[in-house]
Amino acid sequence: MTTHLELPGYAHVYSGKVRDLYAPVGPDGATVPDQLLLVASDRLSAYDWMMSPEIPDKGEVLTRLSLWWFDQLSDLVPNHVLSTDVPAAVAGRAVLVRTLDMLKVEAIARAYLTGGGLEEYQAKGSVSGVALPDGLVDGSRLPEPVFTPTTKAPVGEHDLPMTFAEVEAALGAEAAAEVSRLTRAILARGNEIAGARGILIADTKVEFGVAPDGSGGLVLADEVLTPDSSRFWPAELWEPGHPQPSFDKQYVREWLTSAESGWSKSSGEPPPELPAQVVEQTRAKYVEAYERLTGETF
């Protein structure tokens, strides 16, 4: 069960799988309408289940990494961050952000073929209606990043691939074109920077919103180019033809599907507690990704 902190001066608004949202409370006792406190927890989900125990420092790693990327992308697109001056109880893993109306499309771009994109390619030769060259395998680099959006399904349901025509119908032609352009540009910039640091970004999901009054253009929100929103691969181990090692929940997924865990995805039963070494290895991968990319010691 998800729990949240009580933060003086803030009213709890919502808790998702891994984030909690709070609204600042003004001197008059009313919530401030145009700001939110976005808190990244140490919770981790895998196969649509919340894992226990949490992964120490995960929320801070992802928050600091997103802030670093927002700086690297600031000439491409504005972002939602207003301030990092937050309550001490959530220092390092929270940001004060602009309230936005979020687009009802998951903006995804792929630079390499893997995961659900690979499955669709093997069946149809395309991903989200985008035709791809013949002969690609798991881990193949694509000629250029492609936009492969999905629906934003309600909690408990799976996102479904969308064609670009469906995105145009949902957002309008002009906004759809800009979402596609920016998503691909963010991934291309991400790979330009990460590649020099020994990391390949196979694909990424980004979130965009617009000001509630409709003014201005698209604003980059939530997190960006983190191991939770992207597939990070160590460049020195990249070898197309099979699944690649990655900087994310790999240890958790591998342990859950191993004989050691004794758990089956199809059982409908909650997964068991994560062993200490799986928690430690998962934390180490998140920290390694942060340190490799930023050049900073966590």
Side-chain angles (χ1 to χ4, degrees):
M1 181 177 173
T2 298
T3 57
H4 62 271
L5 295 169
E6 294 299 327
L7 297 175
Y10 290 85
H12 178 252
V13 174
Y14 173 79
S15 286
K17 282 185 178 179
V18 298
R19 282 180 194 77
D20 303 307
L21 290 177
Y22 299 80
V25 177
D28 59 355
T31 56
V32 178
D34 57 351
Q35 297 179 9
L36 285 170
L37 184 72
L38 179 66
V39 181
S41 75
D42 291 339
R43 301 188 294 270
L44 183 144
S45 69
Y47 300 123
D48 294 327
W49 290 96
M50 296 308 301
M51 297 294 108
S52 178
E54 297 180 350
I55 307 300
D57 299 318
K58 175 177 174 278
E60 185 171 350
V61 169
L62 298 190
T63 299
R64 285 169 59 172
L65 187 55
S66 287
L67 288 168
W68 185 84
W69 276 118
F70 283 138
D71 284 344
Q72 314 305 312
L73 301 167
S74 60
D75 61 315
L76 291 180
V77 58
N79 62 71
H80 68 162
V81 177
L82 293 173
S83 173
T84 54
D85 184 9
V86 299
V90 292
R93 59 188 183 94
V95 287
L96 193 66
V97 302
R98 294 170 56 184
T99 301
L100 299 169
D101 288 340
M102 302 304 294
L103 302 189
K104 301 295 192 290
V105 169
E106 295 280 18
I108 297 167
R110 301 174 188 272
Y112 295 79
L113 188 62
T114 195
L118 174 67
E119 293 172 15
E120 186 182 340
Y121 169 78
Q122 289 172 334
K124 303 178 181 178
S126 62
V127 180
S128 296
V130 179
L132 297 177
D134 293 338
L136 301 181
V137 296
D138 194 351
S140 288
R141 181 187 282 123
L142 301 177
E144 58 185 8
V146 295
F147 180 56
T148 59
T150 69
T151 59
K152 275 189 180 176
V155 173
E157 297 181 26
H158 291 294
D159 298 334
L160 298 174
M162 298 177 75
T163 64
F164 188 68
E166 289 170 331
V167 178
E168 287 183 316
L171 303 180
E174 187 177 341
E178 185 66 353
V179 168
S180 172
R181 184 190 72 81
L182 281 174
T183 305
R184 289 179 286 115
I186 288 166
L187 181 55
R189 174 69 62 81
N191 265 317
E192 182 184 319
I193 293 170
R197 294 157 167 81
I199 290 177
L200 307 178
I201 306 177
D203 49 45
T204 196
K205 174 178 73 91
V206 292
E207 300 269 357
F208 295 106
V210 294
D213 64 4
S215 64
L218 294 177
V219 179
L220 183 59
D222 201 37
E223 62 182 317
V224 61
L225 296 173
T226 70
D228 266 22
S229 66
S230 319
R231 281 187 177 91
F232 286 179
W233 295 341
E236 70 274 11
L237 299 177
W238 175 56
E239 184 182 63
H242 56 79
Q244 312 297 311
S246 59
F247 292 98
D248 54 15
K249 309 171 190 178
Q250 173 188 350
Y251 283 104
V252 172
R253 293 193 189 101
E254 288 181 355
W255 182 79
L256 285 173
T257 54
S258 72
E260 183 187 344
S261 79
W263 179 73
S264 169
K265 283 193 291 182
S266 59
S267 68
E269 296 293 317
E273 292 260 318
L274 299 174
Q277 77 270 18
V278 173
V279 173
E280 290 164 11
Q281 288 170 329
T282 302
R283 178 193 180 277
K285 278 297 172 189
Y286 278 87
V287 170
E288 183 184 353
Y290 173 84
E291 293 184 339
R292 271 215 207 189
L293 284 167
T294 66
E296 300 168 4
T297 301
F298 180 74

